[in-house]
Amino acid sequence: MGSYERPEPLRLGSKAPNFKAETTAGPIDFHEWAAGGWVVLFSHPEDYTPVCTTELGAFAKLEPEFAKRGVKLIGLSANTIESHGGWIKDINEISGSELRFPIIGDKQRQVALMYDMIDQQDATNVDEKGQAFTIRSVFIIDPKHTIRTILSYPASTGRNTAEVLRIVDSLQTGDKHRVTTPINWVPGDDVIVHPTIKSPEAEKLFPKMQVVKPYLRFTPLPKDQTSAHV
């Protein structure tokens, strides 16, 4: 890692740091580019690598579903945007997708360090100079630039794009309806009434509420009332 200094750690509820960067879609100011919408920012270790190629193809295929929910995708790796350009052709060929979202060229690790995406575990996940590449980080950021979810995967393990979309649905649906989502929830399943909503307001808001325990109250929420109904 050399003389790299790590910034204060980002946590859920932190404001997503702004940055300016070169991308495959041109230079951006991150907050301006987000334009008050939801963003999924995700890093991958390196261009022209096998796991990353499958991931980018999967995100490209699922991008229309994110777009329907008002979510922008943006990738990052510790390579130049020139390298990204040739690699995107391979991704499209292999996956049968058409990758449209921008990919940040972060050769100097500026954004990776700001968002603490650097690998300290895998001694093989380094460039030709021995500088650590990025891990597979995911940041789900809301329209107020607040970090709502942070996921970190090792370089050896590909992510699950359906899970990232499910988290978006959970967050957007929860914000709208004042509910939380239980284990393995998918849109259309019952949800949990938020603990901060007390009686009698809870009964008025959720007339079909089922009280299992005072702290566990389920209520139906049809899929057409969730963010997945787009």
Side-chain angles (χ1 to χ4, degrees):
M1 290 294 296
S3 60
Y4 286 153
E5 291 185 9
R6 289 178 179 265
E8 285 295 311
L10 296 176
R11 298 186 172 94
L12 300 187
S14 297
K15 184 172 182 178
N18 195 25
F19 57 84
K20 294 182 179 180
E22 294 294 325
T23 80
T24 50
I28 66 164
D29 175 291
F30 181 56
H31 283 181
E32 288 182 5
W33 174 84
W38 289 78
V39 173
V40 173
L41 165 65
F42 61 100
S43 62
H44 47 275
E46 189 180 14
D47 296 354
Y48 295 104
T49 52
V51 177
C52 299
T53 301
T54 64
E55 286 193 322
L56 270 289
F59 272 113
K61 283 185 172 180
L62 206 56
E63 184 184 20
E65 289 299 318
F66 285 100
K68 289 175 186 176
R69 293 157 171 80
V71 181
K72 289 184 173 181
L73 301 180
I74 185 165
L76 174 148
S77 78
N79 299 93
T80 63
I81 57 173
E82 289 76 20
S83 170
H84 293 343
W87 182 42
I88 287 171
K89 294 178 182 177
D90 284 0
I91 293 168
N92 290 340
E93 176 189 342
I94 292 166
S95 67
S97 61
E98 187 174 348
L99 195 155
R100 294 187 176 92
F101 56 82
I103 303 176
I104 297 165
D106 195 34
K107 184 74 172 175
Q108 302 305 317
R109 317 295 199 271
Q110 172 202 352
V111 181
L113 287 166
M114 189 182 297
Y115 278 78
D116 199 18
M117 299 171 170
I118 298 297
D119 197 340
Q120 285 193 314
Q121 169 183 273
D122 185 353
T124 68
N125 191 31
V126 296
D127 66 12
E128 69 279 358
K129 295 181 181 178
Q131 294 181 340
F133 277 129
T134 48
I135 55 175
R136 302 184 193 284
S137 296
V138 180
F139 292 84
I140 300 178
I141 302 165
D142 73 14
K144 295 180 180 179
H145 307 307
T146 301
I147 296 173
R148 301 291 295 275
T149 299
I150 301 173
L151 304 172
S152 296
Y153 292 69
S156 59
T157 304
R159 285 162 284 205
N160 185 323
T161 52
E163 172 63 2
V164 177
L165 186 65
R166 190 187 77 94
I167 295 171
V168 168
D169 280 332
S170 173
L171 292 171
Q172 292 186 344
T173 300
D175 286 355
K176 181 178 180 180
H177 293 285
R178 300 171 69 187
V179 296
T180 60
T181 56
I183 181 72
N184 296 329
W185 174 86
V186 292
D189 289 352
D190 288 355
V191 295
I192 297 171
V193 176
H194 199 283
T196 59
I197 303 176
K198 308 300 183 184
S199 296
E201 183 185 12
E203 285 81 2
K204 291 179 180 178
L205 289 174
F206 307 102
K208 296 182 180 179
M209 181 177 67
Q210 177 190 2
V211 180
V212 178
K213 294 287 184 181
Y215 57 84
L216 179 57
R217 301 168 297 172
F218 287 100
T219 189
L221 189 67
K223 184 176 181 179
D224 62 9
Q225 295 181 33
T226 72
S227 61
H229 183 67
V230 287

